mmCIF file of all heavy atoms in Angstrom:
data_model
loop_
_atom_site.group_PDB
_atom_site.id
_atom_site.type_symbol
_atom_site.label_atom_id
_atom_site.label_comp_id
_atom_site.label_asym_id
_atom_site.label_seq_id
_atom_site.Cartn_x
_atom_site.Cartn_y
_atom_site.Cartn_z
ATOM 1 N N ARG A 19 89.558 105.804 86.187
ATOM 2 C CA ARG A 19 89.298 105.564 87.622
ATOM 3 C C ARG A 19 88.775 106.833 88.326
ATOM 4 O O ARG A 19 89.240 107.946 88.130
ATOM 5 C CB ARG A 19 90.534 105.059 88.306
ATOM 6 C CG ARG A 19 91.715 106.025 88.308
ATOM 7 C CD ARG A 19 92.970 105.389 88.874
ATOM 8 N NE ARG A 19 94.088 106.314 88.816
ATOM 9 C CZ ARG A 19 94.891 106.447 87.767
ATOM 10 N NH1 ARG A 19 94.657 105.738 86.658
ATOM 11 N NH2 ARG A 19 95.883 107.310 87.817
ATOM 12 N N VAL A 20 87.816 106.614 89.191
ATOM 13 C CA VAL A 20 87.293 107.637 90.088
ATOM 14 C C VAL A 20 86.545 106.911 91.217
ATOM 15 O O VAL A 20 85.956 105.867 90.995
ATOM 16 C CB VAL A 20 86.364 108.637 89.372
ATOM 17 C CG1 VAL A 20 85.133 107.906 88.811
ATOM 18 C CG2 VAL A 20 85.910 109.756 90.298
ATOM 19 N N HIS A 21 86.666 107.444 92.429
ATOM 20 C CA HIS A 21 85.886 106.890 93.541
ATOM 21 C C HIS A 21 85.588 108.045 94.488
ATOM 22 O O HIS A 21 86.404 108.439 95.292
ATOM 23 C CB HIS A 21 86.595 105.722 94.251
ATOM 24 C CG HIS A 21 87.964 106.042 94.756
ATOM 25 N ND1 HIS A 21 88.256 106.210 96.083
ATOM 26 C CD2 HIS A 21 89.139 106.231 94.093
ATOM 27 C CE1 HIS A 21 89.527 106.469 96.242
ATOM 28 N NE2 HIS A 21 90.099 106.509 95.057
ATOM 29 N N THR A 22 84.384 108.593 94.359
ATOM 30 C CA THR A 22 84.036 109.808 95.082
ATOM 31 C C THR A 22 82.576 109.906 95.357
ATOM 32 O O THR A 22 81.758 109.235 94.694
ATOM 33 C CB THR A 22 84.471 111.029 94.232
ATOM 34 O OG1 THR A 22 84.219 112.237 94.957
ATOM 35 C CG2 THR A 22 83.735 111.071 92.901
ATOM 36 N N TYR A 23 82.203 110.708 96.362
ATOM 37 C CA TYR A 23 80.767 111.054 96.520
ATOM 38 C C TYR A 23 80.648 112.455 97.109
ATOM 39 O O TYR A 23 81.586 112.980 97.736
ATOM 40 C CB TYR A 23 80.000 110.018 97.349
ATOM 41 C CG TYR A 23 80.372 109.863 98.809
ATOM 42 C CD1 TYR A 23 79.905 110.781 99.770
ATOM 43 C CD2 TYR A 23 81.077 108.771 99.264
ATOM 44 C CE1 TYR A 23 80.183 110.634 101.107
ATOM 45 C CE2 TYR A 23 81.366 108.602 100.607
ATOM 46 C CZ TYR A 23 80.939 109.538 101.515
ATOM 47 O OH TYR A 23 81.213 109.396 102.862
ATOM 48 N N GLU A 24 79.472 113.050 96.883
ATOM 49 C CA GLU A 24 79.168 114.351 97.440
ATOM 50 C C GLU A 24 77.731 114.324 97.943
ATOM 51 O O GLU A 24 76.896 113.568 97.424
ATOM 52 C CB GLU A 24 79.346 115.475 96.415
ATOM 53 C CG GLU A 24 78.370 115.422 95.287
ATOM 54 C CD GLU A 24 78.200 116.776 94.564
ATOM 55 O OE1 GLU A 24 78.642 117.808 95.088
ATOM 56 O OE2 GLU A 24 77.617 116.770 93.482
ATOM 57 N N VAL A 25 77.474 115.163 98.948
ATOM 58 C CA VAL A 25 76.114 115.287 99.499
ATOM 59 C C VAL A 25 75.803 116.791 99.525
ATOM 60 O O VAL A 25 76.599 117.568 100.055
ATOM 61 C CB VAL A 25 76.009 114.714 100.913
ATOM 62 C CG1 VAL A 25 74.537 114.623 101.330
ATOM 63 C CG2 VAL A 25 76.697 113.334 101.006
ATOM 64 N N ARG A 26 74.653 117.151 98.970
ATOM 65 C CA ARG A 26 74.248 118.562 98.941
ATOM 66 C C ARG A 26 72.947 118.751 99.719
ATOM 67 O O ARG A 26 71.999 118.000 99.533
ATOM 68 C CB ARG A 26 74.062 119.038 97.498
ATOM 69 C CG ARG A 26 75.366 119.379 96.797
ATOM 70 C CD ARG A 26 75.124 119.802 95.396
ATOM 71 N NE ARG A 26 75.101 118.686 94.472
ATOM 72 C CZ ARG A 26 74.479 118.695 93.301
ATOM 73 N NH1 ARG A 26 73.790 119.752 92.948
ATOM 74 N NH2 ARG A 26 74.517 117.654 92.507
ATOM 75 N N GLY A 27 72.949 119.759 100.581
ATOM 76 C CA GLY A 27 71.773 120.036 101.368
ATOM 77 C C GLY A 27 71.326 121.482 101.212
ATOM 78 O O GLY A 27 71.816 122.199 100.370
ATOM 79 N N THR A 28 70.386 121.894 102.050
ATOM 80 C CA THR A 28 69.814 123.241 101.949
ATOM 81 C C THR A 28 70.781 124.322 102.349
ATOM 82 O O THR A 28 70.633 125.468 101.929
ATOM 83 C CB THR A 28 68.544 123.317 102.841
ATOM 84 O OG1 THR A 28 68.885 122.897 104.164
ATOM 85 C CG2 THR A 28 67.423 122.435 102.292
ATOM 86 N N ARG A 29 71.817 123.986 103.151
ATOM 87 C CA ARG A 29 72.735 125.011 103.640
ATOM 88 C C ARG A 29 74.210 124.691 103.364
ATOM 89 O O ARG A 29 75.079 125.470 103.763
ATOM 90 C CB ARG A 29 72.541 125.262 105.143
ATOM 91 C CG ARG A 29 71.230 125.855 105.519
ATOM 92 C CD ARG A 29 71.209 126.387 106.949
ATOM 93 N NE ARG A 29 71.530 125.316 107.929
ATOM 94 C CZ ARG A 29 72.697 125.194 108.522
ATOM 95 N NH1 ARG A 29 73.689 125.998 108.266
ATOM 96 N NH2 ARG A 29 72.882 124.222 109.404
ATOM 97 N N GLY A 30 74.495 123.561 102.714
ATOM 98 C CA GLY A 30 75.875 123.248 102.502
ATOM 99 C C GLY A 30 76.098 122.020 101.612
ATOM 100 O O GLY A 30 75.141 121.402 101.104
ATOM 101 N N ARG A 31 77.373 121.706 101.458
ATOM 102 C CA ARG A 31 77.791 120.607 100.558
ATOM 103 C C ARG A 31 79.037 119.955 101.104
ATOM 104 O O ARG A 31 79.955 120.624 101.593
ATOM 105 C CB ARG A 31 78.030 121.162 99.168
ATOM 106 C CG ARG A 31 78.605 120.178 98.163
ATOM 107 C CD ARG A 31 79.073 120.914 96.912
ATOM 108 N NE ARG A 31 79.712 120.020 95.955
ATOM 109 C CZ ARG A 31 80.707 120.346 95.131
ATOM 110 N NH1 ARG A 31 81.175 121.599 95.171
ATOM 111 N NH2 ARG A 31 81.228 119.473 94.294
ATOM 112 N N LEU A 32 79.074 118.616 101.008
ATOM 113 C CA LEU A 32 80.267 117.851 101.360
ATOM 114 C C LEU A 32 80.764 117.125 100.097
ATOM 115 O O LEU A 32 79.974 116.563 99.343
ATOM 116 C CB LEU A 32 79.967 116.776 102.418
ATOM 117 C CG LEU A 32 79.511 117.249 103.812
ATOM 118 C CD1 LEU A 32 79.277 116.016 104.670
ATOM 119 C CD2 LEU A 32 80.545 118.148 104.444
ATOM 120 N N LEU A 33 82.078 117.096 99.914
ATOM 121 C CA LEU A 33 82.677 116.356 98.816
ATOM 122 C C LEU A 33 83.843 115.566 99.348
ATOM 123 O O LEU A 33 84.738 116.098 100.006
ATOM 124 C CB LEU A 33 83.172 117.287 97.707
ATOM 125 C CG LEU A 33 84.025 116.650 96.617
ATOM 126 C CD1 LEU A 33 83.199 115.661 95.788
ATOM 127 C CD2 LEU A 33 84.646 117.717 95.707
ATOM 128 N N LEU A 34 83.847 114.235 99.094
ATOM 129 C CA LEU A 34 84.956 113.343 99.464
ATOM 130 C C LEU A 34 85.582 112.839 98.167
ATOM 131 O O LEU A 34 85.064 111.952 97.515
ATOM 132 C CB LEU A 34 84.455 112.164 100.319
ATOM 133 C CG LEU A 34 84.136 112.476 101.784
ATOM 134 C CD1 LEU A 34 82.897 113.322 101.934
ATOM 135 C CD2 LEU A 34 83.991 111.188 102.584
ATOM 136 N N PRO A 35 86.729 113.399 97.763
ATOM 137 C CA PRO A 35 87.315 113.059 96.477
ATOM 138 C C PRO A 35 87.810 111.635 96.348
ATOM 139 O O PRO A 35 87.805 111.044 95.244
ATOM 140 C CB PRO A 35 88.480 114.038 96.329
ATOM 141 C CG PRO A 35 88.182 115.149 97.280
ATOM 142 C CD PRO A 35 87.466 114.490 98.415
ATOM 143 N N THR A 36 88.280 111.039 97.464
ATOM 144 C CA THR A 36 88.764 109.662 97.460
ATOM 145 C C THR A 36 88.047 108.895 98.564
ATOM 146 O O THR A 36 88.611 108.612 99.621
ATOM 147 C CB THR A 36 90.284 109.601 97.651
ATOM 148 O OG1 THR A 36 90.637 110.292 98.865
ATOM 149 C CG2 THR A 36 91.018 110.262 96.483
ATOM 150 N N SER A 37 86.827 108.538 98.280
ATOM 151 C CA SER A 37 85.954 108.063 99.348
ATOM 152 C C SER A 37 85.991 106.563 99.610
ATOM 153 O O SER A 37 85.782 106.113 100.715
ATOM 154 C CB SER A 37 84.509 108.466 99.034
ATOM 155 O OG SER A 37 84.142 107.992 97.753
ATOM 156 N N PHE A 38 86.228 105.737 98.590
ATOM 157 C CA PHE A 38 86.041 104.310 98.749
ATOM 158 C C PHE A 38 87.350 103.492 98.905
ATOM 159 O O PHE A 38 87.407 102.590 99.731
ATOM 160 C CB PHE A 38 85.247 103.740 97.548
ATOM 161 C CG PHE A 38 83.874 104.310 97.452
ATOM 162 C CD1 PHE A 38 83.443 104.921 96.286
ATOM 163 C CD2 PHE A 38 82.979 104.258 98.526
ATOM 164 C CE1 PHE A 38 82.150 105.477 96.191
ATOM 165 C CE2 PHE A 38 81.724 104.802 98.440
ATOM 166 C CZ PHE A 38 81.306 105.412 97.264
ATOM 167 N N VAL A 39 88.367 103.837 98.153
ATOM 168 C CA VAL A 39 89.629 103.094 98.246
ATOM 169 C C VAL A 39 90.813 104.055 98.350
ATOM 170 O O VAL A 39 91.718 104.079 97.497
ATOM 171 C CB VAL A 39 89.827 102.119 97.065
ATOM 172 C CG1 VAL A 39 88.913 100.926 97.197
ATOM 173 C CG2 VAL A 39 89.568 102.814 95.716
ATOM 174 N N PRO A 40 90.847 104.868 99.416
ATOM 175 C CA PRO A 40 91.957 105.811 99.572
ATOM 176 C C PRO A 40 93.268 105.086 99.848
ATOM 177 O O PRO A 40 93.277 103.996 100.374
ATOM 178 C CB PRO A 40 91.516 106.669 100.743
ATOM 179 C CG PRO A 40 90.623 105.768 101.533
ATOM 180 C CD PRO A 40 89.883 104.964 100.509
ATOM 181 N N ASP A 41 94.361 105.738 99.509
ATOM 182 C CA ASP A 41 95.683 105.241 99.813
ATOM 183 C C ASP A 41 95.885 105.260 101.330
ATOM 184 O O ASP A 41 95.782 106.344 101.944
ATOM 185 C CB ASP A 41 96.723 106.133 99.128
ATOM 186 C CG ASP A 41 98.158 105.620 99.278
ATOM 187 O OD1 ASP A 41 98.431 104.891 100.242
ATOM 188 O OD2 ASP A 41 99.004 105.973 98.448
ATOM 189 N N PRO A 42 96.146 104.112 101.961
ATOM 190 C CA PRO A 42 96.288 104.078 103.420
ATOM 191 C C PRO A 42 97.478 104.838 103.969
ATOM 192 O O PRO A 42 97.570 105.042 105.175
ATOM 193 C CB PRO A 42 96.366 102.588 103.734
ATOM 194 C CG PRO A 42 96.883 101.957 102.476
ATOM 195 C CD PRO A 42 96.317 102.768 101.363
ATOM 196 N N THR A 43 98.379 105.246 103.074
ATOM 197 C CA THR A 43 99.569 105.994 103.516
ATOM 198 C C THR A 43 99.392 107.497 103.382
ATOM 199 O O THR A 43 100.276 108.246 103.776
ATOM 200 C CB THR A 43 100.808 105.565 102.725
ATOM 201 O OG1 THR A 43 100.691 105.982 101.367
ATOM 202 C CG2 THR A 43 100.999 104.045 102.778
ATOM 203 N N GLN A 44 98.254 107.927 102.813
ATOM 204 C CA GLN A 44 98.066 109.349 102.546
ATOM 205 C C GLN A 44 96.847 109.891 103.309
ATOM 206 O O GLN A 44 95.855 109.169 103.505
ATOM 207 C CB GLN A 44 97.834 109.582 101.029
ATOM 208 C CG GLN A 44 99.003 109.176 100.177
ATOM 209 C CD GLN A 44 100.255 109.986 100.469
ATOM 210 O OE1 GLN A 44 100.192 111.206 100.654
ATOM 211 N NE2 GLN A 44 101.385 109.313 100.554
ATOM 212 N N PRO A 45 96.862 111.158 103.719
ATOM 213 C CA PRO A 45 95.698 111.745 104.359
ATOM 214 C C PRO A 45 94.554 111.892 103.339
ATOM 215 O O PRO A 45 94.789 111.919 102.123
ATOM 216 C CB PRO A 45 96.165 113.113 104.827
ATOM 217 C CG PRO A 45 97.336 113.429 103.933
ATOM 218 C CD PRO A 45 97.984 112.098 103.623
ATOM 219 N N THR A 46 93.320 111.923 103.826
ATOM 220 C CA THR A 46 92.153 112.141 102.983
ATOM 221 C C THR A 46 91.537 113.475 103.377
ATOM 222 O O THR A 46 91.870 114.029 104.428
ATOM 223 C CB THR A 46 91.135 111.021 103.135
ATOM 224 O OG1 THR A 46 90.790 110.892 104.517
ATOM 225 C CG2 THR A 46 91.675 109.686 102.617
ATOM 226 N N THR A 47 90.652 113.986 102.522
ATOM 227 C CA THR A 47 90.060 115.274 102.766
ATOM 228 C C THR A 47 88.557 115.236 102.544
ATOM 229 O O THR A 47 88.059 114.557 101.667
ATOM 230 C CB THR A 47 90.685 116.357 101.869
ATOM 231 O OG1 THR A 47 90.551 115.952 100.498
ATOM 232 C CG2 THR A 47 92.133 116.565 102.208
ATOM 233 N N ILE A 48 87.878 116.038 103.381
ATOM 234 C CA ILE A 48 86.452 116.334 103.197
ATOM 235 C C ILE A 48 86.352 117.819 102.847
ATOM 236 O O ILE A 48 86.797 118.679 103.648
ATOM 237 C CB ILE A 48 85.630 116.014 104.457
ATOM 238 C CG1 ILE A 48 85.751 114.535 104.833
ATOM 239 C CG2 ILE A 48 84.161 116.427 104.251
ATOM 240 C CD1 ILE A 48 85.077 114.203 106.163
ATOM 241 N N HIS A 49 85.814 118.140 101.718
ATOM 242 C CA HIS A 49 85.619 119.528 101.303
ATOM 243 C C HIS A 49 84.232 119.944 101.708
ATOM 244 O O HIS A 49 83.241 119.274 101.373
ATOM 245 C CB HIS A 49 85.844 119.680 99.800
ATOM 246 C CG HIS A 49 87.222 119.308 99.370
ATOM 247 N ND1 HIS A 49 88.150 120.252 98.979
ATOM 248 C CD2 HIS A 49 87.855 118.088 99.287
ATOM 249 C CE1 HIS A 49 89.295 119.645 98.694
ATOM 250 N NE2 HIS A 49 89.136 118.332 98.859
ATOM 251 N N TYR A 50 84.168 121.044 102.449
ATOM 252 C CA TYR A 50 82.929 121.438 103.126
ATOM 253 C C TYR A 50 82.556 122.895 102.787
ATOM 254 O O TYR A 50 83.282 123.814 103.155
ATOM 255 C CB TYR A 50 83.085 121.258 104.626
ATOM 256 C CG TYR A 50 81.922 121.697 105.490
ATOM 257 C CD1 TYR A 50 80.595 121.558 105.076
ATOM 258 C CD2 TYR A 50 82.157 122.223 106.763
ATOM 259 C CE1 TYR A 50 79.550 121.954 105.876
ATOM 260 C CE2 TYR A 50 81.101 122.604 107.575
ATOM 261 C CZ TYR A 50 79.810 122.473 107.133
ATOM 262 O OH TYR A 50 78.774 122.857 107.939
ATOM 263 N N TRP A 51 81.468 123.055 102.045
ATOM 264 C CA TRP A 51 80.934 124.388 101.756
ATOM 265 C C TRP A 51 79.698 124.583 102.624
ATOM 266 O O TRP A 51 78.822 123.701 102.669
ATOM 267 C CB TRP A 51 80.510 124.486 100.289
ATOM 268 C CG TRP A 51 81.618 124.445 99.284
ATOM 269 C CD1 TRP A 51 82.215 125.525 98.675
ATOM 270 C CD2 TRP A 51 82.249 123.308 98.704
ATOM 271 N NE1 TRP A 51 83.189 125.129 97.799
ATOM 272 C CE2 TRP A 51 83.225 123.742 97.783
ATOM 273 C CE3 TRP A 51 82.104 121.934 98.909
ATOM 274 C CZ2 TRP A 51 84.024 122.876 97.039
ATOM 275 C CZ3 TRP A 51 82.890 121.055 98.184
ATOM 276 C CH2 TRP A 51 83.848 121.519 97.271
ATOM 277 N N HIS A 52 79.614 125.703 103.317
ATOM 278 C CA HIS A 52 78.458 125.968 104.114
ATOM 279 C C HIS A 52 78.190 127.465 104.171
ATOM 280 O O HIS A 52 79.123 128.246 104.491
ATOM 281 C CB HIS A 52 78.563 125.372 105.521
ATOM 282 C CG HIS A 52 79.810 125.777 106.259
ATOM 283 N ND1 HIS A 52 79.820 126.700 107.278
ATOM 284 C CD2 HIS A 52 81.092 125.382 106.094
ATOM 285 C CE1 HIS A 52 81.061 126.832 107.738
ATOM 286 N NE2 HIS A 52 81.859 126.043 107.020
ATOM 287 N N ASP A 53 76.983 127.878 103.882
ATOM 288 C CA ASP A 53 76.656 129.303 103.768
ATOM 289 C C ASP A 53 77.664 129.965 102.827
ATOM 290 O O ASP A 53 77.780 129.569 101.680
ATOM 291 C CB ASP A 53 76.603 129.934 105.160
ATOM 292 C CG ASP A 53 75.535 129.265 106.033
ATOM 293 O OD1 ASP A 53 74.445 128.932 105.484
ATOM 294 O OD2 ASP A 53 75.784 129.041 107.233
ATOM 295 N N ASP A 54 78.441 130.926 103.334
ATOM 296 C CA ASP A 54 79.440 131.596 102.451
ATOM 297 C C ASP A 54 80.850 131.140 102.758
ATOM 298 O O ASP A 54 81.841 131.800 102.362
ATOM 299 C CB ASP A 54 79.336 133.120 102.642
ATOM 300 C CG ASP A 54 77.996 133.673 102.204
ATOM 301 O OD1 ASP A 54 77.483 133.182 101.175
ATOM 302 O OD2 ASP A 54 77.472 134.593 102.891
ATOM 303 N N SER A 55 81.000 130.043 103.436
ATOM 304 C CA SER A 55 82.336 129.588 103.857
ATOM 305 C C SER A 55 82.723 128.280 103.154
ATOM 306 O O SER A 55 81.883 127.536 102.645
ATOM 307 C CB SER A 55 82.347 129.346 105.366
ATOM 308 O OG SER A 55 82.026 130.519 106.074
ATOM 309 N N TYR A 56 84.012 128.033 103.097
ATOM 310 C CA TYR A 56 84.575 126.816 102.537
ATOM 311 C C TYR A 56 85.743 126.387 103.383
ATOM 312 O O TYR A 56 86.587 127.204 103.771
ATOM 313 C CB TYR A 56 85.016 127.030 101.110
ATOM 314 C CG TYR A 56 85.906 125.942 100.534
ATOM 315 C CD1 TYR A 56 85.368 124.665 100.290
ATOM 316 C CD2 TYR A 56 87.252 126.163 100.278
ATOM 317 C CE1 TYR A 56 86.180 123.676 99.775
ATOM 318 C CE2 TYR A 56 88.045 125.162 99.768
ATOM 319 C CZ TYR A 56 87.510 123.907 99.533
ATOM 320 O OH TYR A 56 88.307 122.904 99.017
ATOM 321 N N GLU A 57 85.808 125.123 103.709
ATOM 322 C CA GLU A 57 86.959 124.611 104.456
ATOM 323 C C GLU A 57 87.285 123.204 103.996
ATOM 324 O O GLU A 57 86.444 122.457 103.462
ATOM 325 C CB GLU A 57 86.673 124.619 105.959
ATOM 326 C CG GLU A 57 85.510 123.792 106.414
ATOM 327 C CD GLU A 57 85.276 123.921 107.917
ATOM 328 O OE1 GLU A 57 86.138 123.429 108.710
ATOM 329 O OE2 GLU A 57 84.234 124.482 108.315
ATOM 330 N N VAL A 58 88.531 122.812 104.226
ATOM 331 C CA VAL A 58 89.012 121.469 103.923
ATOM 332 C C VAL A 58 89.342 120.797 105.237
ATOM 333 O O VAL A 58 90.181 121.277 105.996
ATOM 334 C CB VAL A 58 90.225 121.480 103.007
ATOM 335 C CG1 VAL A 58 90.705 120.052 102.757
ATOM 336 C CG2 VAL A 58 89.899 122.152 101.679
ATOM 337 N N ILE A 59 88.664 119.677 105.490
ATOM 338 C CA ILE A 59 88.888 118.905 106.724
ATOM 339 C C ILE A 59 89.844 117.764 106.382
ATOM 340 O O ILE A 59 89.506 116.907 105.539
ATOM 341 C CB ILE A 59 87.581 118.368 107.276
ATOM 342 C CG1 ILE A 59 86.609 119.518 107.582
ATOM 343 C CG2 ILE A 59 87.843 117.513 108.535
ATOM 344 C CD1 ILE A 59 85.188 119.069 107.868
ATOM 345 N N GLU A 60 91.006 117.734 106.966
ATOM 346 C CA GLU A 60 92.005 116.690 106.658
ATOM 347 C C GLU A 60 91.910 115.572 107.679
ATOM 348 O O GLU A 60 91.862 115.811 108.909
ATOM 349 C CB GLU A 60 93.417 117.266 106.627
ATOM 350 C CG GLU A 60 94.440 116.237 106.171
ATOM 351 C CD GLU A 60 95.806 116.858 105.858
ATOM 352 O OE1 GLU A 60 95.887 117.623 104.881
ATOM 353 O OE2 GLU A 60 96.747 116.575 106.626
ATOM 354 N N ILE A 61 91.896 114.331 107.175
ATOM 355 C CA ILE A 61 91.825 113.135 108.011
ATOM 356 C C ILE A 61 93.164 112.403 107.908
ATOM 357 O O ILE A 61 93.672 112.177 106.815
ATOM 358 C CB ILE A 61 90.692 112.211 107.540
ATOM 359 C CG1 ILE A 61 89.347 112.972 107.439
ATOM 360 C CG2 ILE A 61 90.586 110.998 108.486
ATOM 361 C CD1 ILE A 61 88.820 113.503 108.747
ATOM 362 N N ASP A 62 93.704 112.014 109.038
ATOM 363 C CA ASP A 62 95.017 111.317 109.045
ATOM 364 C C ASP A 62 94.949 110.004 108.276
ATOM 365 O O ASP A 62 93.892 109.362 108.208
ATOM 366 C CB ASP A 62 95.454 111.062 110.485
ATOM 367 C CG ASP A 62 95.823 112.317 111.228
ATOM 368 O OD1 ASP A 62 96.124 113.332 110.580
ATOM 369 O OD2 ASP A 62 95.776 112.296 112.478
ATOM 370 N N PRO A 63 96.092 109.569 107.733
ATOM 371 C CA PRO A 63 96.140 108.304 107.010
ATOM 372 C C PRO A 63 95.737 107.143 107.928
ATOM 373 O O PRO A 63 96.078 107.119 109.114
ATOM 374 C CB PRO A 63 97.592 108.160 106.576
ATOM 375 C CG PRO A 63 98.137 109.558 106.615
ATOM 376 C CD PRO A 63 97.400 110.231 107.705
ATOM 377 N N VAL A 64 95.057 106.151 107.349
ATOM 378 C CA VAL A 64 94.665 104.970 108.095
ATOM 379 C C VAL A 64 94.390 103.851 107.091
ATOM 380 O O VAL A 64 94.021 104.108 105.953
ATOM 381 C CB VAL A 64 93.407 105.274 108.956
ATOM 382 C CG1 VAL A 64 92.182 105.498 108.071
ATOM 383 C CG2 VAL A 64 93.145 104.160 109.944
#
């Protein structure tokens, strides 16, 4: 099993590890690389 997607552009990259059927009781994350930085954006469970 895997359900994920990533988008890569000229200045950055997005990765959603659990993109299609996430657990509704758990937060999800967007991993964001841009220039020389990296951050994890957390989304509340829904």
Side-chain angles (χ1 to χ4, degrees):
R19 63 186 178 274
V20 62
H21 56 107
T22 183
Y23 67 77
E24 66 160 346
V25 192
R26 281 179 271 157
T28 53
R29 294 194 301 103
R31 173 190 177 213
L32 297 179
L33 170 66
L34 283 71
T36 55
S37 54
F38 298 125
V39 286
D41 185 335
T43 67
Q44 298 297 318
T46 55
T47 54
I48 300 174
H49 297 254
Y50 176 34
W51 293 263
H52 52 106
D53 300 321
D54 296 322
S55 301
Y56 166 68
E57 61 182 292
V58 178
I59 301 168
E60 186 169 293
I61 309 295
D62 290 339
V64 68

